[in-house]
Amino acid sequence: MRRRFWVPLALATTVLLAGAAAGAKAMSPDERLITAPGYRAAPGYAESGQAAADTRWVAAGIVPGAGTHWSDMARWALVDVRSHLEANGTVSAGPGGPWHHFWPRDGSFAAVALSRTGHSAEAASVLDRMSRLEFDPAVGFRARYAMDGAPLTDRARQSDGCGWVLWAITEVRRDGGAGVPTSAAELRDRCVATLTRLVAGGDRLPPASPDYWEVKVTRTTLGTVAPMLAGLAAAGRDYAVTGDDAAAQRARTTVERLAATVAREMGPGYERFGDVGGLDASTLMLLPPFTAPGDLPTPMVRAVEAAAVRYQREAAQPAGGVAPGVEWLDNGGASWTPQTALVAVTDAAAGRDLEAGRRLDWLDAHRTAYGSLPERVTRSGAPAGPAPLVWTASLVVLALSELETPGP
């Protein structure tokens, strides 16, 4: 998540807080929509060669939700992912400004969405690019990288990245493996080794690190350790599929120990810092499809499921979506689409089709005039912030795909 916003100068006044004299309950004005100059909204796109190329590319794969009222949203979500994918495999998070960078987290979701829809070459390019990013074996990936793959040092490293990458490799291989490049084996081994060291084989929580909130923290967050736990569990399954039974067993042992550590240190409430910090969307990261049955002990799963239900209730926003966390400070009361889409993904994976459908309906109803999913929706229901947001686009594709997968 990008919590410090770049806004064109002409729009700067729209994000100023209401005057201090207005009192403590004053809220900021509704935010404005931010998109790249000349994007699809520009006149002429429908007649352009790019529009025809986008149509052919989508048709060459699979559109989840085809034949439903969500098919238009799915098609544009796929076009938006493709539009932000460079030939070198980097995927920008959104249009321009601080979003025109490559996050391993966002890239992992894009890779799975591309693979799930039959665009295996593009999925492979994203995973291969991740294998060639600057990487510190002691910590992992940078928070983000330039679009040419160069490391950006303006933010602290974020150790959840390896967890998402391991989950992505496993999911892409589950789709048939065509989207898994040869470089993925070394990338998997490197990430497993780094995460195993960070958690001392599962016997401790990892050191504090910024997570998807993109803010400095002094305590370990669930948003950091949940993707690690999910990623290591996924890696264990991937090792088994590729015939490395010894590595699979080592990963499973680490997961068992780490799950016990997380349950002890962050349960039973599973708030952002375990016992404080409020519930946030990281509870969803411990549920399917990010984990599989048997990855986590049953009592832990039940506690996390209960926490996820409370999160959705307590983080509900006026426009109908959710905030990234219960204690996320947002003067405007905006709904955030990535977290709302995460809810849809986990509901669909659990077989709660009606609940997932309601979230997808809400996302569909709050797209931009040109069909893209924005990062936020204002308290009055208008799309806001950068649009499209690739993380949300990828999540919507995955939610629709989960709805088409038989069984919870």
Side-chain angles (χ1 to χ4, degrees), residues 71-385:
S71 60
D72 185 72
M73 176 170 61
R75 283 194 298 270
W76 284 124
L78 284 168
V79 169
D80 285 336
V81 174
R82 183 192 189 219
S83 298
H84 289 73
L85 173 63
E86 300 287 332
N88 65 6
T90 57
V91 189
S92 62
W99 301 281
H100 193 59
H101 300 305
F102 179 48
W103 274 259
R105 182 188 310 115
D106 299 42
S108 295
F109 281 89
V112 178
L114 288 164
S115 173
R116 197 63 40 87
T117 55
H119 301 287
S120 56
E122 290 86 347
S125 74
V126 177
L127 294 178
D128 184 62
R129 165 51 70 181
M130 294 223 255
S131 74
R132 294 180 285 114
L133 294 174
E134 185 270 346
F135 185 93
D136 182 348
V139 184
F141 292 105
R142 295 280 180 184
R144 56 186 187 166
Y145 297 79
M147 293 305 291
D148 64 359
L152 297 176
T153 60
D154 58 333
R155 298 185 181 186
R157 292 182 185 272
Q158 295 178 6
S159 55
D160 66 323
C162 263
W164 290 124
V165 168
L166 291 172
W167 171 76
I169 291 171
T170 303
E171 289 294 299
V172 172
R173 197 185 307 279
R174 190 168 67 89
D175 291 335
V180 180
T182 56
S183 58
E186 188 273 336
L187 175 61
R188 177 189 61 186
D189 293 347
R190 187 173 4 131
C191 275
V192 167
T194 295
L195 295 186
T196 302
R197 283 193 295 269
L198 284 171
V199 299
D203 292 334
R204 71 180 183 202
L205 293 177
S209 165
D211 58 14
Y212 73 96
W213 283 43
E214 300 279 350
V215 296
K216 183 178 180 180
V217 292
T218 57
R219 291 180 60 179
T220 302
T221 69
L222 188 61
T224 291
V225 71
M228 291 184 178
L229 190 50
L232 286 166
R237 296 192 297 276
D238 197 57
Y239 279 126
V241 167
T242 56
D244 193 338
D245 293 337
Q249 183 55 52
R250 289 194 297 271
R252 283 194 290 266
T253 298
T254 301
V255 168
E256 290 172 2
R257 292 176 176 171
L258 183 57
T261 300
V262 171
R264 181 179 67 250
E265 300 292 335
M266 310 206 83
Y270 293 98
E271 295 189 33
R272 179 161 166 75
F273 301 106
D275 54 349
V276 294
L279 292 160
D280 72 5
S282 56
T283 57
L284 305 169
M285 300 170 189
L286 290 172
L287 299 174
F290 309 113
T291 58
D295 283 349
L296 306 178
T298 299
M300 182 179 185
V301 171
R302 289 174 178 165
V304 169
E305 288 174 340
V309 170
R310 294 199 308 276
Y311 157 69
Q312 294 178 53
R313 181 177 64 248
E314 295 175 19
Q317 293 296 292
V322 296
V326 172
E327 295 189 5
W328 179 279
L329 301 180
D330 189 331
N331 292 316
S335 298
W336 288 70
T337 64
Q339 285 67 43
T340 305
L342 269 172
V343 174
V345 171
T346 55
D347 277 342
R352 294 187 292 270
D353 292 4
L354 289 176
E355 291 86 346
R358 292 189 189 103
R359 295 293 186 181
L360 288 167
D361 284 343
W362 182 86
L363 290 160
D364 190 25
H366 293 87
R367 290 188 289 154
T368 66
Y370 49 94
S372 291
L373 290 148
E375 183 184 51
R376 298 185 295 284
V377 173
T378 68
R379 63 182 182 275
S380 60

